Amino acid sequence: MFEIGDIRIHLINDGITHVDPGGAFGLVPRALWSRILQPDADGLVPMLNLNLYVEAGGKKIVVDTGLGHSIDPKMARITRIERPGGSLLDALARLGVAPADIDLVIDTHLHSDHCGGNMLVGADGQPRPAFPNAEYVVQRREYEDAMRPNERTAATYFPVNYQPLMESGQMRLLDGDSDLAQGVFGHVTRGHTPGHMSVRFESQGQHALFACDMACYAVHFERLGWMTAYDVEPLETLETKRKWQAWALETSAIIMFPHDSVRPVGIIRLDDNGKPTLQPIAVDFA
Ligand SMILES: [Zn+2]
């Protein structure tokens, strides 16, 4: 947990999967990325799935709902998932927070590793909201793209994660940058997807940013030209990162990277050679 003014931000490890580095590093040669992240014996690299539990202005907020509350055994085997702390709901329970207490769920985007925990499947096999009293928010553009997946995006856009919330009126669509709670702001950070959103926190002159997949790993924020192969608009990602990296240098904001198990949190500063470099911050997961 850390505080930004009077906002409390708890980090939740929803699980570490092991993935092909071709996805994580795209065009970056192995000789370069392997200096940052060592592949294991199978050639895979670890991928954290970071969610947040935030207390701001009297509201209880979840940012991204992770992989889901029960993982398909085949997927668990393929990705060799490590979930020492259980799922998002287990972490919330350790914090003394019941699902019914959550006021707001912010979906940064609708890829299944970020909103897989929006719903729970009941004993009757029917999906129901994991957070029954929460308003869920997502960018309208993201929802529309997720409802019309193409051959490249269909493997990660699963309507069961969001369509029932929309139909029941529990999900609200955002049109661009939005105030979401006291000191909590959603910003469209286009590139990973056209409707991708990052979440900015500001209180008492302090700043933080859940970059989400604008920069999956810290190195993607240090080096503007490095990006994942998952981005559907890579040149938009580049310009989005250029803008937000400059903001981070100016504000000394604490930045959170959703998939980096080694350096999930830190402050970016210029090193002696003028290169943006992350100073990691040691953090505990809830
Ligand atoms: Zn992601």
Side-chain angles (χ1 to χ4, degrees):
M1 195 277 290
F2 63 95
E3 292 177 336
I4 293 293
D6 52 18
I7 299 173
R8 291 160 76 91
I9 299 176
H10 301 262
L11 302 165
I12 292 170
N13 174 357
D14 183 57
I16 295 177
T17 54
H18 299 84
V19 300
D20 192 296
F25 292 102
L27 294 176
V28 179
R30 180 190 176 104
L32 295 183
W33 64 252
S34 62
R35 293 179 198 163
I36 308 288
L37 202 59
Q38 283 297 317
D40 67 15
D42 297 324
L44 305 179
V45 292
M47 177 173 266
L48 172 69
N49 289 276
L50 177 67
N51 306 154
L52 305 182
Y53 167 64
V54 178
E55 295 159 308
K59 297 267 189 231
K60 294 180 165 64
I61 303 167
V62 167
V63 181
D64 278 353
T65 59
L67 297 162
H69 309 294
S70 55
I71 306 279
D72 171 47
K74 185 180 169 202
M75 193 48 71
R77 198 172 61 248
I78 291 171
T79 66
R80 296 210 322 266
I81 187 167
E82 296 165 16
R83 240 182 180 182
S87 76
L88 166 63
L89 293 183
D90 297 310
L92 290 174
R94 285 193 290 278
L95 293 168
V97 180
D101 296 339
I102 298 297
D103 301 297
L104 176 67
V105 175
I106 302 172
D107 284 331
T108 60
H109 61 304
L110 295 173
H111 286 171
S112 61
D113 57 328
H114 292 263
C115 70
N118 277 4
M119 307 291 287
L120 276 175
V121 178
D124 56 0
Q126 293 300 310
R128 57 188 164 84
F131 304 100
N133 300 318
E135 177 180 59
Y136 290 66
V137 294
V138 70
Q139 288 290 329
R140 182 183 305 277
R141 173 66 195 265
E142 179 68 16
Y143 186 84
E144 288 175 350
D145 287 346
M147 289 298 287
R148 285 195 307 269
N150 59 35
E151 290 82 351
R152 186 157 177 226
T153 61
T156 192
Y157 280 142
F158 305 136
V160 66
N161 290 331
Y162 38 85
Q163 190 174 14
L165 295 165
M166 197 61 201
E167 288 174 352
S168 70
Q170 202 173 337
M171 177 172 264
R172 178 164 63 94
L173 301 182
L174 306 172
D175 293 296
D177 295 356
S178 303
D179 289 12
L180 300 176
Q182 194 176 316
V184 182
F185 307 91
H187 291 273
V188 177
T189 44
R190 184 170 187 146
H192 184 66
T193 68
H196 181 273
M197 179 163 63
S198 302
V199 184
R200 180 173 66 86
F201 304 95
E202 180 177 356
S203 176
Q204 298 172 8
Q206 293 182 279
H207 304 267
L209 181 75
F210 184 66
C212 205
D213 287 352
M214 173 191 2
C216 291
Y217 290 81
V219 70
H220 292 114
F221 205 61
E222 294 171 317
R223 302 178 193 191
L224 299 182
W226 287 33
M227 58 193 73
T228 74
Y230 310 121
D231 293 24
V232 297
E233 301 179 315
L235 296 182
E236 294 284 351
T237 301
L238 180 67
E239 296 311 319
T240 298
K241 289 198 296 179
R242 194 189 309 284
K243 173 184 155 188
W244 282 95
Q245 189 198 63
W247 171 85
L249 286 166
E250 192 180 305
T251 58
S252 300
I254 294 175
I255 314 291
M256 292 162 272
F257 305 99
H259 294 304
D260 196 327
S261 61
V262 182
R263 299 188 297 167
V265 180
I267 296 175
I268 194 130
R269 303 196 193 282
L270 297 180
D271 71 6
D272 294 342
N273 299 316
K275 281 189 174 171
T277 303
L278 192 85
Q279 294 183 343
I281 296 174
V283 289
D284 291 325
F285 293 103

